[in-house]
Each structure stands twice: as C-alpha cells, then as structure tokens.
Amino acid sequence: MGGTISELRKLSFRRAPSVNSVQEIAVEQDPSEIIVEAEFPTDGESVDLTCNGSSSHSPWTTKWYFEEEVLRKAPKSTLRVRESGDYRCQADDLPVSEPVHLEFSAAPLILQGPPYVFEGDSVLLRCRTQAKTELNTVAFFKNDERLMLPNNSSDLHIDGADLVHNGHYHCSGSTHTCCTASSNRVNIQVRMLFPRPELSSSSSEPMEGSPVTLTCQTQLPPERSHVQLQFCFFRDGQVLGSGWSSSPELRIPALGTEDSGSYWCQAKRVNSHVLKESWKISIPVRGPVFEGKKLTLICSVDRLPGPITFSWYKVKLGKETKIHTSSEAEFKISMVKDSDAGDYYCKVNSSHKSFTSRLVTIKPRKAAVSRPVLTLSPANNRVREGTRVTLHCEVQRGSPPILYKFYHESVSLGRSSTPSTGRASLGISLTTKHSGNYYCTADNGFGPQRSEAVSLSVVTAVSRPVLTLSPANNWLLEGTWLTLHCEAQRGSPPILYKFYHESVSLGSSSTPSTGRASSGISLTTKHSGNYYCTADNGFGPQRSEAVRLSVLVPVSRPVLTLRDPSVQPVVGDVMELHCEALRGSLPITYTFYHEDVNLGSRNAHSTGGVSLSLSVTPEHSGNYFCEASNSAQTQRSDTMTLTVKIPVSRPVLTLRDPSVQPVVGDVMELHCEALRGSLPITYTFYHEDVTLGSREAHYRRGASLSLSVTPEHSGNYFCEASNSAQTQRSDTMTLTVKIPVSRPVLTLRAPRAQPVVGDVMELHCEALSGSPPILYKFYHEDVTLGSTVAPSGGGASFNLSLMEKHSGNYSCEAENDLRFQHSELVTVIVTVPVSRPVLTLRAPRAQAVVGDLVELHCEALRGSPPILYQFYLEDVTLGNSSAPSEGGASFNLSLTAEHSGNYSCEADNGLGAQRSEAVALFIPGLTESQSGPVAPGVTGGLLGMVVLAAGALLFYHWLSRKAGGRTASDPSRRSSDSNPQDPTYHNVPEWIELQPVYMNVNSRGEDVVYSQVSCLQKESRNSAASAHSLSHQTDSSVIYAKVKKAHTPASGPHQLASPAPHR
C-alpha cells in the first residue's frame, strides 16, 4: 500500500464538539522599551523619554545609555533630554531596549512623527515651527503629493495605520512674517503587529469522550507588548465556545465522533481592524461506528500544491478494492451497513508526488434505538372535525429494522416497520371521539422506547348564530335600554361572541360552555341601523342575519330663520324662510305662518329642515313663525318680525347757488334728492369720480353740499343715494367754472440767443389760468404791435421781423370777460452785424521809411459793439484789438524793410467777420551790397522828394482846416485827433483821387529792389475851387514804400504788382 509520511497525517471521522470551559495561559516578559514624545523636536525644546518594562508596575531602577555609553542610573523611569543622538534604556534586569534616535533641529519648519508605527496604531504627524512663530497656512504631502484635508490644522491624524499609509511625509507652511518653508521628511513604514496565528491541538487524534485543548499562538513585538489581543475558535465555519475572548486557549472537555472536522482560529487587536486567521487543521475523533448512521472519512494532507486527486480503497478478506476517486478530501457513507465493515485507506496524487495514508478499520455495531419523537401534521393541538391528521414517529439513533407502533389513550391505532433508518407514519380522519393523548413506540430488538404523549382536541365548528333584541320591537324611543342576545345552536366551546352595529364593534363575550351571550346598550339617535353578531370557536367566525332597529326621537322646538336675503328683505327680492328642528326622528312636517295665516307645508325626510320662498311685496312686513311635527309630537318656533325695505329711487342733482355759471371764489351749493326709498338715505357727492362728501338724510328733503369754487371745480358732477336696499346714481351734470385771467408771461423766441437785424422774432404771450376766450395784445414801448384771440385757452404769438429800431421794452396783455392783466416788461437789444471796415495807415511823414512808427487804424462804420479788429500783412496776422464801443481800433508798427506789402484788417462782433480792402505800403531804400555815388544820390533825391511831399501835405491840411473841413465828430477822423501833425491815410474826399505812380530803383537787378509809389492830385469834377487850391503842387508825394529781396538773379529791373488805389 506504500509508506505513510508526515504530510498525510490522519484519516478521521467528524461530529460537532461541545465546549464547557476555557483555560488561560501565561505570557512571557518583554524587553525594555523607550516611549518618546516626538522623533524630530525643535532646537531649544526638551523631550521626555519613558522606559517601560514588562511588569505592570514602574521599574525599580532604570539605566539610560547615550551613544552606547551609560548616561544615568536612577529610580525614575523618565528622562528629559535636549541633545541629538541615540538613546537606550534598561528597566530593572530586563534586556536593553532598541536604540531611539533624536534629532533636535533648528530648521524653521519641522514635521514630528513617531519613530515606528505598527498595524492599527493611531499616528499623529505634527507640523511645528520655532517658538513664538505661528503658522498661517499648512499643507501635508505624501510621496510629494498633496493630501486633501478638511481644515488648516497643523496636525495630521492617521487612525488605524495600515500598509497603504506607508510613504514619505512632509509638510509646508507660511508664517505671517515670512515666506513658505518646507519641513524634513518622515518615513512611515507600518510594521506587522503580530504574525499569522498558528492553531495547535493537545491531541492530534483524540478518542471519543476525551478532552482536548486548542491553542491560538502568535507573538506581539516588544514595542507593543501592552496591546490587547482577542481570540476566536471555529470548526467547519461554526464559532466554538462563547466567541471572542482574551485567552488564546479553548478547552473542549469531551469530544464525540461528530466533533471531527476542520478547525482554525482568529486573532485581532482590540478596537482595531487588524485581524488575522490561522491555517486550518483537521482533528479526527475516533469512536465506534453504528449501523444506520452516516459516516464521513477525511483524507487530510498539509500544504501540498494542487491539483490533488483523492482515491479511496477498501480491504476486506485480503482483497483490495478501489471504491471512489474525487478531488474532494471527504468520502461519505450515507448509512452504515454491516457490509461496510473492513479496512480503509486513501491515496493522494499530485503532479509531483503521491502519498498513501495508514489503514483505518471500521467495524459497525448494532445500536439500540433512542427515545422516539411523535409529531402531528398539521402541527396543531386543536384540529377541526373531519380533518385528516398524520402521526409521525422517529428515532434519532438505532440500528434497523425498527418497529413503530401508534397509540390513542393506550389503544393501538396501528404499526409500521422500517428496514432502514427513518420515520414511520399513520394517518386518520378525525371525529369528535378522537380527542385525547397520542404516543408511539420504537423497537429494534433491544427493547421498546416510548415517546412523550401529544394532546389533541377535535373541535366542532360553530353554526350560524341567531341575534335577538329585547324588547322585541323594530322601533324604540331614545333612552330605552336594549339587550342583544347572540346564540349558536352547535359548536365546541369555548365560543367567542361579538356584537356589531353597522360594522362597528359594540363588544364581545366568551362562553366556556354551550349557551348564548348578551350585550346591552342605552339607545340614542345614533343607534338606529342594522345589528348583527358573530360566533367563533377557532375555526373561523360565523355571522348572524342583520336585525334593523329604528330609534325614534321626539321633534325639538324648530328655529325659523331668514336665509335669503340674510338681512332685511327688500321689495322685489325672493325671500327664503327656513324652518329646522335640530332633533327629531324623520320624517318631519314643517308648516309656515304669516300673522297666523298658513303659507304652506313641507315634509323633510332628511335632516337640515325645509325652506319656503316668497316674492317680497310691501305687504309682507309682519310676524312669522313655523311648526315642526313628527310621529312623536309637534313644536312651534319663536315669532320673527320682518320689515320690508323699499329701494331708493334714482336721485336728481341740481345746482342751487349760484344759479348761473360759477366763478372762482363763489360758494357753490349742490343738492341731491331721491323722491322714493326707505329712510335713512345716504347721499354722496362726486366730482370726476372723486368723493366730495356724504350726508345722511332722515327726512325726505334730500341733502346739499357747499363748495368754495376754485378753478379745479370745473368738470362732471353726480351724486348717489343709498339705503339698506340699494344704491342709485344720478345723471351727470357738467359745470364750467369761470376763471379770471392770470397775469400773462411774455416769452421771446428768436433763432439765436442774441437777436440780430433781419431775424424773425416770435413774441409769445400766455396766461397760465383763465377761462377762454382770451384776447392777447402785444406792445413795444407802449405802442401796440397787434392782437390775437385764443378761443380755447393757451397762449398766442406775434411774429416780428427785426430792425435796428426794434431794440427796447416789450410787453403783452391778456383779457377775458372777467379781467385783464399786463405782463412784465421784456427788454430786447437787436444786434447789428458789423459792416466792412476801413483801414487807415498813419505815418509820421509822407513817405514812410524804415524805423518809422506807423499806426494802422481799422474802423467799421456800423455794427453792434464789442467789435474785435485784427490786422494783417499779406494775410499774416500782426495783432488784434477789441473795441467795446464805437471808434474802431489801432495797431502800431515799427517799420522794417520787410514791412512793404499789402495791409488789411478784419472786424467781427460775433455775427460774421468782414474784411477791409487791402492798402499797399512800399518802403524805399538800398540794398546792403550797393556802393558808390549812385546810392547816396538816389537817397538824397528821395529825401528831397519826401521833404517836398511833406510840405505839400502840411499845406493841404492847413487849407482844409481853414476852409472849415471835417469836424471832430467825423468818424473818419475821430481816432486820429490826438496827433494832428502825423500824416493820415484814409478815404479822401470825393474831389481828390490819388493816382499811384510806380518807379523802380536799382535797375541792375541786385538783391534789394526799391519800389516807389507817388500819389498825384487829380482835379475832381465837382469842386473847381479845391483844384485851384492844389494846382501849385506839381511834385508828387511818395506815400508807400516797400523793400523786397529778390529770390533769383534778374537781368533787368523788377516791377512790383500795382496795389489797388486807396479810396
């Protein structure tokens, strides 16, 4: 059969164990251990180290080591240190602890953590700064990935450490005074708290009835020797003993063969998720094998890699037979027979090895039957008559065949034999005589065994009950005492009777023997209706037929009310009288009366009373009452007095004072009157739907309302008359209040802010109040300009084309048939656009030369001041001056050679600029490059000519003054009277016309060109005398001169363009 090796350990039987006690075992002491507050304290801090021993008390003496040298020996178990390095301790005579390294850091930010972490530990990582420094924001990182935390705490808590928490941790934070800093790294490596437990048994193959002790063995590290563990033991998935316990041992006092099976244990840390399970072991329990029982053979092998095939063999009389092959480790014989006797073994085959177990001998024994158990189907101690009941008798143990017998009160009912294990049955159809005790017996040759007795009651179901009333009447008066009787003629007691009124339970009564049950009630109106009862003895209730009862109530005194209208009736209304008795059995007859005259009757077959409708006339005023009657009695209501209301007629609104059209300031009286209607009548006056006031009239004269008339009182008026019956509205009356015209307002509307000659100005006159039509008149300096009528109110306008004479005061007048009013004066200044100005040049001599001071005078003869004058030389601005009044403006210019050219001026008073005609001025002279006698000669000649011209002009002015020439009021002279000696150029008299004479000097074409303009006197056609006075002036005067540089060489003389003559 092959050898037996240790891997194939046992062939066993199984059955469930029983557990009676638990035995505790001792725990060995652990070495010393250092408990440290923090692994990375900050510089300047102190840290307390605590040395723990294995005993429950503090150590008697503690020896401390620093850097492998003895530091101190003291009775205390705590040491306070401030220096970085490795520390060890030794408590009493225990082994020296593992070293603990402390690092006191001066870094700005430190992450403090425990030196070691075990499974299930609660870990605290603390982000710390130096003393007196507060962190603003804190962030924690694991393996350089930020951890999302719910708050900004400087502590990181890890509850129930596990392998998933392994990693490198650090923190970062910022302070209020500085920047962000990062801490040191703390490496968290979660250590195993304890290894997988191992389950061991005090006996590998215990005998049936012997005790066994199971031990769940594991080991805590010295650093966690104080941790509490709990243990739990299992067999085939079932918890053994009392469940979790602090003891690692479980004692089973006596095993049976059914205790064979697979056992394992679990160990866990208290209040933690750390839980570990042992490997499973098989424990077979040896014991006798009985015929007819179930047998399980287990082939147990330890840690053999699969797949595995199990083969079972039987050896009997030297013959070996292979009986079963499977991948399962169990072989089951459902019922052991004598033929199953023999030797058995199993063989395990894998891809690598093959193992064979030792032989197990099976010798089945015959067993006496156990005490049988009798059961009934259906399983009920009370069974209804006619039901078929099956009796089952069964033993839990005993070798077949077994003979079963059934008994009723010691009378045999029958027998049955079973060739194998199982139960026997017997069925009977029940009658009432089958009530009593039943039992059975079982016998397999070792003596009969009797079951316990089972009691059975055969019950007869109740018949349909009958309900009767006492007194026996279908109608009774309210307050009568009524007794209900319910009785079933047949049925096994006890019987439960229940009474109902319209499906509402009134009560119940149980009778232990045959007979009837009763229930009494005092009748009220709500007790009318159908009554019935039920009878039940456990097989379903039976219901009686219903009995109807009417509870009669005498009618109560009725109440008469006026339902419609709910207030005083009005002629034309449909009046509804309602009569109702709050109590009384139906039907009730209601009769209505007016002054003892019968108005009609109504029958009410339901609660709520009845009504009678009447079309109201004035004759319906008076006394009313009603009567209610049923089969018990008649009752009369109280009397109700009604007064019929007459609706008010449509009122008439009149104006009593004044009788003609009202004027503002009058006292106006409005009168409203309705010719018909019940008093009192309320009159309300309205103006454009706005209430003016109300008056209550207790007599038939209407009501009046007085108003002090204002302009707002024009419009529509009406009044309303109202009494308790209705409200009526009068026709609308329209009143127009005459309003004296108010003082008008004159408004001038012009196309611009400052009116100008030629503009069309609109004069608008408007009185803000006043009854139309209104006559408007317009005035200028008290002179009437025109008038117009506004037929529907508002204002009126008058258009005026402005001339210079229209400056002055304006006003208007408004008039209606009540008064006239004059507006305030409005002053208008008509602005005159400036005329074309005249430019006059005034020089100290007849021929201006370089260095002379020339006055340019510009004057516009017409135009409203102020006037802005601007002076130009060849369109280049020389300057400007403002004249606030008449007289023009001047500009002084010191002549240079460049000032020859055309001069002009411009006048502007805001209504458009006007430009003068150009005046040419030439300044004679020599170029800088010319030398020799020619230049002095020319200069001398020119000077001579200038002297002659100046003399001629002086003589001319003298003649003019002597002849009574222009006075000082002449506008053309006004600006130059201050200096009569200076020559003045302006518009000369009509009888003199200056003829320009042009002469070029320096014909060689050098750079400087001198142009000379001479003015010759020419006789006017209108004045011979003046011509005679000037006939001696044969020499011309030079009045314009200009110096100009030539830009290009010239082969001949340069001639300037002739300027326009100055008129």
Side-chain angles (χ1 to χ4, degrees), residues 858 864-871 879-890 906-909:
C858 187
S864 299
I867 301 174
L868 177 64
Y869 292 96
Q870 298 203 61
F871 299 89
N880 59 61
S881 179
S882 178
S885 59
E886 297 179 353
S890 298
E906 191 177 76
D908 188 3
N909 64 348

PDB file of all heavy atoms in Angstrom, residues 858 864-871 879-890 906-909:
ATOM      1  N   CYS A 858      -8.290 150.612 -37.889  1.00  0.00           N
ATOM      2  CA  CYS A 858      -9.362 149.885 -38.574  1.00  0.00           C
ATOM      3  C   CYS A 858     -10.674 150.265 -37.924  1.00  0.00           C
ATOM      4  O   CYS A 858     -10.794 150.226 -36.692  1.00  0.00           O
ATOM      5  CB  CYS A 858      -9.128 148.375 -38.487  1.00  0.00           C
ATOM      6  SG  CYS A 858     -10.285 147.391 -39.458  1.00  0.00           S
ATOM      7  N   SER A 864     -22.846 146.399 -33.962  1.00  0.00           N
ATOM      8  CA  SER A 864     -23.018 146.454 -32.505  1.00  0.00           C
ATOM      9  C   SER A 864     -21.724 146.035 -31.820  1.00  0.00           C
ATOM     10  O   SER A 864     -21.103 145.042 -32.186  1.00  0.00           O
ATOM     11  CB  SER A 864     -24.141 145.505 -32.062  1.00  0.00           C
ATOM     12  OG  SER A 864     -25.361 145.881 -32.659  1.00  0.00           O
ATOM     13  N   PRO A 865     -21.286 146.871 -30.829  1.00  0.00           N
ATOM     14  CA  PRO A 865     -20.082 146.519 -30.072  1.00  0.00           C
ATOM     15  C   PRO A 865     -20.389 145.365 -29.105  1.00  0.00           C
ATOM     16  O   PRO A 865     -21.573 145.094 -28.856  1.00  0.00           O
ATOM     17  CB  PRO A 865     -19.752 147.816 -29.322  1.00  0.00           C
ATOM     18  CG  PRO A 865     -21.082 148.507 -29.154  1.00  0.00           C
ATOM     19  CD  PRO A 865     -21.881 148.153 -30.372  1.00  0.00           C
ATOM     20  N   PRO A 866     -19.327 144.712 -28.570  1.00  0.00           N
ATOM     21  CA  PRO A 866     -17.912 144.986 -28.876  1.00  0.00           C
ATOM     22  C   PRO A 866     -17.510 144.360 -30.208  1.00  0.00           C
ATOM     23  O   PRO A 866     -18.094 143.382 -30.636  1.00  0.00           O
ATOM     24  CB  PRO A 866     -17.189 144.315 -27.718  1.00  0.00           C
ATOM     25  CG  PRO A 866     -18.085 143.206 -27.295  1.00  0.00           C
ATOM     26  CD  PRO A 866     -19.478 143.688 -27.515  1.00  0.00           C
ATOM     27  N   ILE A 867     -16.484 144.986 -30.839  1.00  0.00           N
ATOM     28  CA  ILE A 867     -16.012 144.521 -32.147  1.00  0.00           C
ATOM     29  C   ILE A 867     -14.549 144.143 -32.002  1.00  0.00           C
ATOM     30  O   ILE A 867     -13.763 144.902 -31.440  1.00  0.00           O
ATOM     31  CB  ILE A 867     -16.206 145.591 -33.229  1.00  0.00           C
ATOM     32  CG1 ILE A 867     -17.694 145.967 -33.341  1.00  0.00           C
ATOM     33  CG2 ILE A 867     -15.676 145.115 -34.577  1.00  0.00           C
ATOM     34  CD1 ILE A 867     -17.945 147.132 -34.291  1.00  0.00           C
ATOM     35  N   LEU A 868     -14.198 142.993 -32.512  1.00  0.00           N
ATOM     36  CA  LEU A 868     -12.809 142.537 -32.492  1.00  0.00           C
ATOM     37  C   LEU A 868     -12.184 142.851 -33.847  1.00  0.00           C
ATOM     38  O   LEU A 868     -12.683 142.413 -34.881  1.00  0.00           O
ATOM     39  CB  LEU A 868     -12.746 141.035 -32.224  1.00  0.00           C
ATOM     40  CG  LEU A 868     -11.354 140.413 -32.240  1.00  0.00           C
ATOM     41  CD1 LEU A 868     -10.486 140.972 -31.122  1.00  0.00           C
ATOM     42  CD2 LEU A 868     -11.445 138.890 -32.122  1.00  0.00           C
ATOM     43  N   TYR A 869     -11.087 143.637 -33.788  1.00  0.00           N
ATOM     44  CA  TYR A 869     -10.360 144.019 -35.011  1.00  0.00           C
ATOM     45  C   TYR A 869      -9.065 143.236 -35.051  1.00  0.00           C
ATOM     46  O   TYR A 869      -8.333 143.147 -34.065  1.00  0.00           O
ATOM     47  CB  TYR A 869     -10.056 145.514 -35.013  1.00  0.00           C
ATOM     48  CG  TYR A 869     -11.297 146.389 -35.148  1.00  0.00           C
ATOM     49  CD1 TYR A 869     -11.920 146.917 -34.022  1.00  0.00           C
ATOM     50  CD2 TYR A 869     -11.836 146.664 -36.400  1.00  0.00           C
ATOM     51  CE1 TYR A 869     -13.051 147.703 -34.124  1.00  0.00           C
ATOM     52  CE2 TYR A 869     -12.971 147.463 -36.518  1.00  0.00           C
ATOM     53  CZ  TYR A 869     -13.579 147.985 -35.386  1.00  0.00           C
ATOM     54  OH  TYR A 869     -14.699 148.772 -35.502  1.00  0.00           O
ATOM     55  N   GLN A 870      -8.743 142.720 -36.255  1.00  0.00           N
ATOM     56  CA  GLN A 870      -7.482 142.011 -36.477  1.00  0.00           C
ATOM     57  C   GLN A 870      -6.782 142.639 -37.683  1.00  0.00           C
ATOM     58  O   GLN A 870      -7.438 142.999 -38.670  1.00  0.00           O
ATOM     59  CB  GLN A 870      -7.740 140.521 -36.721  1.00  0.00           C
ATOM     60  CG  GLN A 870      -8.395 139.828 -35.544  1.00  0.00           C
ATOM     61  CD  GLN A 870      -8.156 138.332 -35.548  1.00  0.00           C
ATOM     62  OE1 GLN A 870      -7.018 137.925 -35.475  1.00  0.00           O
ATOM     63  NE2 GLN A 870      -9.236 137.587 -35.626  1.00  0.00           N
ATOM     64  N   PHE A 871      -5.452 142.748 -37.602  1.00  0.00           N
ATOM     65  CA  PHE A 871      -4.632 143.420 -38.621  1.00  0.00           C
ATOM     66  C   PHE A 871      -3.757 142.387 -39.294  1.00  0.00           C
ATOM     67  O   PHE A 871      -3.206 141.499 -38.633  1.00  0.00           O
ATOM     68  CB  PHE A 871      -3.783 144.506 -37.971  1.00  0.00           C
ATOM     69  CG  PHE A 871      -4.620 145.595 -37.301  1.00  0.00           C
ATOM     70  CD1 PHE A 871      -5.017 145.466 -35.990  1.00  0.00           C
ATOM     71  CD2 PHE A 871      -5.022 146.719 -38.023  1.00  0.00           C
ATOM     72  CE1 PHE A 871      -5.803 146.422 -35.387  1.00  0.00           C
ATOM     73  CE2 PHE A 871      -5.801 147.684 -37.402  1.00  0.00           C
ATOM     74  CZ  PHE A 871      -6.186 147.556 -36.086  1.00  0.00           C
ATOM     75  N   GLY A 879      -1.741 141.384 -35.294  1.00  0.00           N
ATOM     76  CA  GLY A 879      -2.237 141.589 -33.939  1.00  0.00           C
ATOM     77  C   GLY A 879      -3.733 141.837 -33.986  1.00  0.00           C
ATOM     78  O   GLY A 879      -4.365 141.826 -35.042  1.00  0.00           O
ATOM     79  N   ASN A 880      -4.358 142.023 -32.792  1.00  0.00           N
ATOM     80  CA  ASN A 880      -5.774 142.298 -32.736  1.00  0.00           C
ATOM     81  C   ASN A 880      -6.060 143.197 -31.573  1.00  0.00           C
ATOM     82  O   ASN A 880      -5.236 143.358 -30.669  1.00  0.00           O
ATOM     83  CB  ASN A 880      -6.577 141.004 -32.628  1.00  0.00           C
ATOM     84  CG  ASN A 880      -6.201 140.212 -31.415  1.00  0.00           C
ATOM     85  OD1 ASN A 880      -6.334 140.661 -30.300  1.00  0.00           O
ATOM     86  ND2 ASN A 880      -5.699 138.990 -31.637  1.00  0.00           N
ATOM     87  N   SER A 881      -7.255 143.804 -31.607  1.00  0.00           N
ATOM     88  CA  SER A 881      -7.681 144.718 -30.551  1.00  0.00           C
ATOM     89  C   SER A 881      -9.192 144.748 -30.551  1.00  0.00           C
ATOM     90  O   SER A 881      -9.835 144.655 -31.604  1.00  0.00           O
ATOM     91  CB  SER A 881      -7.120 146.124 -30.779  1.00  0.00           C
ATOM     92  OG  SER A 881      -7.558 147.016 -29.767  1.00  0.00           O
ATOM     93  N   SER A 882      -9.774 144.826 -29.320  1.00  0.00           N
ATOM     94  CA  SER A 882     -11.220 144.830 -29.176  1.00  0.00           C
ATOM     95  C   SER A 882     -11.679 146.230 -28.840  1.00  0.00           C
ATOM     96  O   SER A 882     -11.111 146.884 -27.956  1.00  0.00           O
ATOM     97  CB  SER A 882     -11.639 143.851 -28.078  1.00  0.00           C
ATOM     98  OG  SER A 882     -13.022 143.882 -27.907  1.00  0.00           O
ATOM     99  N   ALA A 883     -12.754 146.639 -29.537  1.00  0.00           N
ATOM    100  CA  ALA A 883     -13.324 147.974 -29.315  1.00  0.00           C
ATOM    101  C   ALA A 883     -14.654 147.797 -28.621  1.00  0.00           C
ATOM    102  O   ALA A 883     -15.601 147.322 -29.227  1.00  0.00           O
ATOM    103  CB  ALA A 883     -13.497 148.710 -30.638  1.00  0.00           C
ATOM    104  N   PRO A 884     -14.759 148.155 -27.303  1.00  0.00           N
ATOM    105  CA  PRO A 884     -16.022 147.973 -26.589  1.00  0.00           C
ATOM    106  C   PRO A 884     -17.094 148.955 -27.030  1.00  0.00           C
ATOM    107  O   PRO A 884     -18.251 148.767 -26.722  1.00  0.00           O
ATOM    108  CB  PRO A 884     -15.631 148.158 -25.127  1.00  0.00           C
ATOM    109  CG  PRO A 884     -14.419 149.013 -25.153  1.00  0.00           C
ATOM    110  CD  PRO A 884     -13.684 148.693 -26.408  1.00  0.00           C
ATOM    111  N   SER A 885     -16.715 149.989 -27.714  1.00  0.00           N
ATOM    112  CA  SER A 885     -17.692 150.983 -28.211  1.00  0.00           C
ATOM    113  C   SER A 885     -17.269 151.413 -29.607  1.00  0.00           C
ATOM    114  O   SER A 885     -16.347 150.844 -30.204  1.00  0.00           O
ATOM    115  CB  SER A 885     -17.768 152.178 -27.253  1.00  0.00           C
ATOM    116  OG  SER A 885     -16.485 152.788 -27.118  1.00  0.00           O
ATOM    117  N   GLU A 886     -17.912 152.435 -30.133  1.00  0.00           N
ATOM    118  CA  GLU A 886     -17.594 152.877 -31.488  1.00  0.00           C
ATOM    119  C   GLU A 886     -16.237 153.537 -31.518  1.00  0.00           C
ATOM    120  O   GLU A 886     -15.674 153.924 -30.508  1.00  0.00           O
ATOM    121  CB  GLU A 886     -18.672 153.856 -31.964  1.00  0.00           C
ATOM    122  CG  GLU A 886     -20.068 153.232 -32.061  1.00  0.00           C
ATOM    123  CD  GLU A 886     -21.102 154.257 -32.526  1.00  0.00           C
ATOM    124  OE1 GLU A 886     -20.734 155.413 -32.628  1.00  0.00           O
ATOM    125  OE2 GLU A 886     -22.251 153.844 -32.761  1.00  0.00           O
ATOM    126  N   GLY A 887     -15.689 153.698 -32.735  1.00  0.00           N
ATOM    127  CA  GLY A 887     -14.416 154.411 -32.905  1.00  0.00           C
ATOM    128  C   GLY A 887     -13.331 153.569 -33.496  1.00  0.00           C
ATOM    129  O   GLY A 887     -12.259 154.074 -33.809  1.00  0.00           O
ATOM    130  N   GLY A 888     -13.505 152.293 -33.706  1.00  0.00           N
ATOM    131  CA  GLY A 888     -12.501 151.445 -34.309  1.00  0.00           C
ATOM    132  C   GLY A 888     -11.383 151.115 -33.345  1.00  0.00           C
ATOM    133  O   GLY A 888     -11.457 151.362 -32.148  1.00  0.00           O
ATOM    134  N   ALA A 889     -10.282 150.551 -33.923  1.00  0.00           N
ATOM    135  CA  ALA A 889      -9.125 150.149 -33.117  1.00  0.00           C
ATOM    136  C   ALA A 889      -7.866 150.374 -33.933  1.00  0.00           C
ATOM    137  O   ALA A 889      -7.900 150.397 -35.166  1.00  0.00           O
ATOM    138  CB  ALA A 889      -9.245 148.691 -32.719  1.00  0.00           C
ATOM    139  N   SER A 890      -6.735 150.570 -33.246  1.00  0.00           N
ATOM    140  CA  SER A 890      -5.450 150.881 -33.899  1.00  0.00           C
ATOM    141  C   SER A 890      -4.425 149.848 -33.506  1.00  0.00           C
ATOM    142  O   SER A 890      -4.534 149.187 -32.464  1.00  0.00           O
ATOM    143  CB  SER A 890      -4.982 152.289 -33.504  1.00  0.00           C
ATOM    144  OG  SER A 890      -5.903 153.275 -33.921  1.00  0.00           O
ATOM    145  N   GLU A 906      -9.704 143.176 -40.272  1.00  0.00           N
ATOM    146  CA  GLU A 906     -10.940 142.404 -40.206  1.00  0.00           C
ATOM    147  C   GLU A 906     -11.687 142.796 -38.940  1.00  0.00           C
ATOM    148  O   GLU A 906     -11.081 142.962 -37.877  1.00  0.00           O
ATOM    149  CB  GLU A 906     -10.623 140.912 -40.176  1.00  0.00           C
ATOM    150  CG  GLU A 906     -11.813 140.003 -40.370  1.00  0.00           C
ATOM    151  CD  GLU A 906     -11.387 138.563 -40.398  1.00  0.00           C
ATOM    152  OE1 GLU A 906     -11.100 138.016 -39.303  1.00  0.00           O
ATOM    153  OE2 GLU A 906     -11.335 137.969 -41.479  1.00  0.00           O
ATOM    154  N   ALA A 907     -13.006 142.979 -39.081  1.00  0.00           N
ATOM    155  CA  ALA A 907     -13.871 143.331 -37.945  1.00  0.00           C
ATOM    156  C   ALA A 907     -14.883 142.214 -37.741  1.00  0.00           C
ATOM    157  O   ALA A 907     -15.466 141.709 -38.698  1.00  0.00           O
ATOM    158  CB  ALA A 907     -14.592 144.670 -38.203  1.00  0.00           C
ATOM    159  N   ASP A 908     -15.132 141.884 -36.465  1.00  0.00           N
ATOM    160  CA  ASP A 908     -16.040 140.772 -36.147  1.00  0.00           C
ATOM    161  C   ASP A 908     -16.665 141.039 -34.773  1.00  0.00           C
ATOM    162  O   ASP A 908     -15.952 141.305 -33.811  1.00  0.00           O
ATOM    163  CB  ASP A 908     -15.275 139.456 -36.099  1.00  0.00           C
ATOM    164  CG  ASP A 908     -16.229 138.272 -35.968  1.00  0.00           C
ATOM    165  OD1 ASP A 908     -17.432 138.484 -35.969  1.00  0.00           O
ATOM    166  OD2 ASP A 908     -15.723 137.137 -35.852  1.00  0.00           O
ATOM    167  N   ASN A 909     -18.022 141.065 -34.754  1.00  0.00           N
ATOM    168  CA  ASN A 909     -18.734 141.208 -33.466  1.00  0.00           C
ATOM    169  C   ASN A 909     -19.543 139.958 -33.143  1.00  0.00           C
ATOM    170  O   ASN A 909     -20.525 140.015 -32.414  1.00  0.00           O
ATOM    171  CB  ASN A 909     -19.632 142.441 -33.469  1.00  0.00           C
ATOM    172  CG  ASN A 909     -20.745 142.327 -34.496  1.00  0.00           C
ATOM    173  OD1 ASN A 909     -20.723 141.439 -35.347  1.00  0.00           O
ATOM    174  ND2 ASN A 909     -21.717 143.237 -34.422  1.00  0.00           N
TER     175      ASN A 909
END
